[in-house]
Amino acid sequence: MKVLLVGATGLLGPEICRRLTAAGHQVRALVRPTSDRGKRTALTALGVELTEGDLTNPATLPRACGGVHAVISTASSTHSHGGGNSIESVDHHGQLALVDAARQAGVEHFVFVSFRENPRIQFPLTAAKRAVEQALKSSGMTYTIIQASYFMEVWLSPALGFDIANRKVRIYGDGTRPLSWVSYRDVARAAADAVSEPAARNLVIELGGPDALSPRDVVRMAEAAGAGPIVVENVPEPALEAQLNGATDLLQKSFAGLMLQYAGGDVIDPASAGRVFRFPRTSVRDYIATELSR
Ligand SMILES: NC(=O)c1ccc[n+]([C@@H]2O[C@H](COP(=O)([O-])OP(=O)(O)OC[C@H]3O[C@@H](n4cnc5c(N)ncnc54)[C@H](OP(=O)(O)O)[C@@H]3O)[C@@H](O)[C@H]2O)c1
C-alpha cells in the first residue's frame, strides 16, 4: 500500500521508512526545502518518493496526501523552532491541517505519534497533541494514536544531561517515581506496523517499554553494569513548576511541562500494547549496555 510519512527527516522517520519499504509498502515523504540534505539522500536511496511541503503551509498538503492509503505523522517543531515553526503553527494547526487534507483526499487510515498526558500538568504541546487526537477521532478516517512514553535514547542521554559514560547525570525531580521508558525504534516499528495491523485500527495505544524504572533505578542499573559511581544532580520539582508557570515562550513552557511530567512518573502496562504489537521491546538494561560499550 502507499503511505505518506510526515516527519521522515526526524529521529523516528528514517526508521519508519526503513520498516515500511522493507515490508513492501510504497512510501512518500513530505520534506521541507530546508530538511537535512543527507537525510533526504538516504530516504531516496531507500526508494522513498520525496515531495516538498510544509505543515505551516496547508496549500502544500492536498498534493502530498493524494493517492495514499495511509498517513503517518511524527512531525513536531520542538527541534526546529523558529522561522514560522512553532508548537502552534506545526504541532497544533499544522497537524490539524494535515488531518483535514488527508480526510479530503480520501485517506483511509491516519497514524499519529503522540505522547502521554498527566491531566494535572497542562502545557501547549499537550494541548496540541490532544486537539489533533480529537480531530482524528471525529474525522471518519481509521485512526491509530500512539501515546508513547519518554524515549530512552533522548531522556536517558547526554543531550538531556544523563551521561552515564561520564558518570554524571541530571534527574528531573527526586528521581524516585518510575517511568516506562521506551526505545524510539520500538515506537517507529509500532507506527510502521500499525498501517497493516487490523488490531491497531481505531485505537489509542499507550506504548511504553518492558519495564518501569525510576531514574534512580536506572542510575543503580548503570553503576552495576560497570559505569562506576555516578554523580547525580537533581532539578527540584518546585523549580520545574516555577519554570512551567513563568515561561512565556510556548516551547520553554512545554519543555518545563515535559520535565515535570517525567518527575511525576508514568507507568504503562506493557500488556495493553502487547496485544496489538507482539514484537519484543528494548529494555533499559539493553540500552545501558549499548551506551557503556561505545
Ligand atoms: N522525544 C520523546 O521522548 C517523545 C516521547 C513521546 C512522543 N514523542 C513524539 O514523537 C514524535 C517524533 O519525534 P522525533 O524525535 O522523530 O522528532 P524530530 O526528530 O524532532 O523530527 C521532527 C520532524 O518533523 C518535521 N517538521 C518540523 N516542522 C515541520 C513542518 N513545518 N512541516 C513539515 N514537517 C516538519 C521535521 O522536518 P525537518 O527535518 O525539515 O525539520 C522532522 O522530520 C514527535 O511528535 C514527538 O512529540 C517524542
Side-chain angles (χ1 to χ4, degrees):
M1 75 185 59
K2 187 150 188 168
V3 182
L4 169 70
L5 179 59
V6 182
T9 49
L11 179 66
L12 250 65
E15 183 70 10
I16 296 176
C17 285
R18 198 180 61 73
R19 290 206 165 268
L20 287 172
T21 52
H25 297 298
Q26 280 179 279
V27 185
R28 179 185 291 163
L30 182 92
V31 294
R32 301 190 294 162
T34 51
S35 297
D36 183 83
R37 213 136 274 286
K39 287 195 170 174
R40 288 169 65 131
T41 308
L43 291 172
T44 309
L46 272 177
V48 174
E49 169 199 343
L50 304 186
T51 183
E52 284 201 354
D54 195 313
L55 287 177
T56 65
N57 181 359
T60 61
L61 303 178
R63 194 169 56 95
C65 293
V68 305
H69 171 85
V71 171
I72 301 176
S73 183
T74 63
S76 176
S77 69
T78 43
H79 290 125
S80 55
H81 210 240
N85 244 33
S86 67
I87 303 259
E88 276 214 299
S89 68
V90 176
D91 299 76
H92 200 141
H93 298 295
Q95 293 281 15
L96 288 177
L98 180 64
V99 171
D100 205 40
R103 182 185 57 77
Q104 290 196 39
V107 168
E108 283 178 38
H109 189 171
F110 197 117
V111 179
F112 179 55
V113 175
S114 186
F115 72 81
R116 305 275 299 150
E117 180 180 21
N118 177 337
R120 287 180 293 106
I121 305 168
Q122 293 300 314
F123 47 95
L125 196 55
T126 333
K129 295 283 192 195
R130 299 291 95 91
V132 178
E133 291 181 7
Q134 280 312 319
L136 250 183
K137 286 180 186 168
S138 53
S139 68
M141 290 183 283
T142 297
Y143 64 85
T144 304
I145 295 166
I146 299 176
Q147 290 184 345
S149 182
Y150 287 73
F151 298 170
M152 55 183 82
E153 295 90 347
V154 174
W155 289 86
L156 299 177
S157 81
L160 287 182
F162 203 94
D163 192 353
I164 53 172
N166 287 309
R167 300 190 196 136
K168 205 170 178 298
V169 304
R170 188 185 315 127
I171 284 176
Y172 303 105
D174 67 10
T176 59
R177 291 175 213 133
L179 284 142
S180 297
W181 315 97
V182 68
S183 168
Y184 80 87
R185 290 193 181 85
D186 293 339
V187 179
R189 181 166 182 180
D193 287 0
V195 297
S196 46
E197 172 53 68
R201 296 165 76 86
N202 294 326
L203 216 57
V204 177
I205 300 168
E206 301 180 337
L207 188 61
D211 28 44
L213 297 169
S214 73
R216 287 195 176 269
D217 290 336
V218 179
V219 170
R220 280 189 286 271
M221 194 180 264
E223 287 177 335
I230 293 174
V231 177
V232 176
E233 173 207 344
N234 289 89
V235 184
E237 273 181 78
L240 297 172
E241 273 159 19
Q243 201 176 325
L244 174 65
N245 297 330
T248 47
D249 176 77
L250 299 190
L251 182 64
Q252 292 305 324
K253 216 174 178 58
S254 295
F255 198 57
L258 287 170
M259 292 186 286
L260 200 53
Q261 196 165 295
Y262 153 136
D266 180 33
V267 177
I268 301 173
D269 176 5
S272 61
R275 284 188 278 274
V276 183
F277 304 116
R278 296 181 188 281
F279 59 84
R281 298 309 144 68
T282 309
S283 66
V284 171
R285 190 179 296 281
D286 291 344
Y287 167 70
I288 286 174
T290 310
E291 284 303 289
L292 291 180
S293 67
R294 278 182 205 282

